Each structure stands twice: as structure tokens, then as C-alpha cells.
Amino acid sequence: PLIFDSLAAAYLPLAAVFAGAALRLPGRWGWLRRACAVLASALGAYYVSLEIRRFWQGDDLSLPGVSDPELYSYTVALLLASAGGLILAFWRRSDLLRKLAMAGGVLTIAKVFLVDMSGLSGLMRVFSFMGLGLALVGLAWLNRVMNAQWQKRPKGNADPAN
């Protein structure tokens, strides 16, 4: 079945090993912890993209081309990952995670602007541009709110990972 298939068996255990290493390595191995976290995230993202591809293309992942629903699914996945990153950044009060999540949001907006809108015409394109502008305004507002919240915290509670 979808999600619990050979793709999951191939990528998720290795991603879990890297994630476990990132959580369990001592603090003096900071560069290795970051590398393991990046590898775990990359493997997880690759697995999700392959599952989206499999959902829309079937079992043959080598088919050429990308359908419009598949493109929109990638956009939704990027948007959800960015939102999850922002929630995690706010929860952990991490400037690095916030900047990565904002970069993911900007990447999503750029993908919508450069790739997804090429298939739209007329009023759909106009409304999409309006939505894109509102998304940019929302990101700026969210960034300002997060900065304001973090400015209220006492100096002793600073995140050591920043």
C-alpha cells in the first residue's frame, strides 16, 4: 500500500538512524550532529517526494514529465514542511530554524510563481498572484510577530544553538 511500501523500507530506516544519531551525539560533536540532521531531513524529503510521484504516476517512477496535480502536491508538501519548521522554530526559539523555515516558505512562493502559474490563465492567474502577495505579507507579519515574542524573553533564556 501507499506509504508503507518498499520506498519506506529503503529510506525511512536510514533517515531514522541519522535522526537518532543527531539526537544522541554529545555536544562536542556539533558539526556531526548537524550533518546527521541534514542527512535525515534530506532522506525524509526525498522519500516524501517519491511517494508523491508514486501517488500520481503509479508504480513506474521513471515516467517522463510531471502532471499539474503532482506539481501542486509538491507545493502543498513544501508549504506544510515550512509551516512545521516555523512551529518548531517558535517552540524551540531557534533563529536558525526560523530562517530555514522562512527560506522554505520563500522557496515555495518562488516555485508557485515560476512553475505552477505557467499553467494558469485569466482570472485564475490574477487570483494566484493576489494569493502570492498575501502569502508574502503573511510571512513578513509572522516574522515580525516571532521577533517581537523573542525580544520579550529574558537574556538568560537565549538559545545556545544560535
Side-chain angles (χ1 to χ4, degrees), residues 62 114 117 130 134 148:
S62 65
L114 297 173
M117 282 195 197
M130 288 173 49
L134 288 174

Side-chain angles (χ1 to χ4, degrees), residues 98-122:
R98 180 179 55 95
K99 289 174 185 176
L100 286 172
M102 288 290 179
V106 169
L107 179 69
T108 303
I109 291 170
K111 180 194 175 296
V112 167
F113 183 71
L114 297 173
V115 178
D116 294 349
M117 282 195 197
S118 65
L120 300 177
S121 62

Side-chain angles (χ1 to χ4, degrees), residues 85-144:
L86 278 173
I87 290 169
L88 183 64
F90 189 75
W91 179 58
R92 293 189 61 192
R93 293 182 179 255
S94 171
D95 280 333
L96 178 64
L97 285 176
R98 180 179 55 95
K99 289 174 185 176
L100 286 172
M102 288 290 179
V106 169
L107 179 69
T108 303
I109 291 170
K111 180 194 175 296
V112 167
F113 183 71
L114 297 173
V115 178
D116 294 349
M117 282 195 197
S118 65
L120 300 177
S121 62
L123 284 177
M124 282 301 289
R125 185 174 279 190
V126 170
F127 288 127
S128 294
F129 274 112
M130 288 173 49
L132 182 65
L134 288 174
L136 286 170
V137 168
L139 273 177
W141 174 80
L142 189 58
N143 191 31
R144 188 177 58 99

Side-chain angles (χ1 to χ4, degrees), residues 13-135:
L14 189 57
V17 167
F18 282 122
L23 291 173
R24 298 287 182 196
L25 282 172
R28 67 177 182 259
W29 293 90
W31 62 273
L32 188 57
R33 288 180 67 173
R34 283 188 216 90
C36 287
V38 167
L39 284 171
S41 300
L43 284 168
Y46 190 60
Y47 164 72
V48 168
S49 68
L50 287 176
E51 283 294 345
I52 291 171
R53 177 97 176 147
R54 181 172 175 250
F55 179 77
W56 292 108
Q57 301 290 338
D59 289 335
D60 187 8
L61 298 178
S62 65
L63 292 173
V66 180
S67 64
D68 282 342
E70 185 180 350
L71 276 176
Y72 302 146
S73 298
Y74 291 133
T75 302
V76 169
L78 280 169
L79 189 63
L80 289 175
S82 297
L86 278 173
I87 290 169
L88 183 64
F90 189 75
W91 179 58
R92 293 189 61 192
R93 293 182 179 255
S94 171
D95 280 333
L96 178 64
L97 285 176
R98 180 179 55 95
K99 289 174 185 176
L100 286 172
M102 288 290 179
V106 169
L107 179 69
T108 303
I109 291 170
K111 180 194 175 296
V112 167
F113 183 71
L114 297 173
V115 178
D116 294 349
M117 282 195 197
S118 65
L120 300 177
S121 62
L123 284 177
M124 282 301 289
R125 185 174 279 190
V126 170
F127 288 127
S128 294
F129 274 112
M130 288 173 49
L132 182 65
L134 288 174

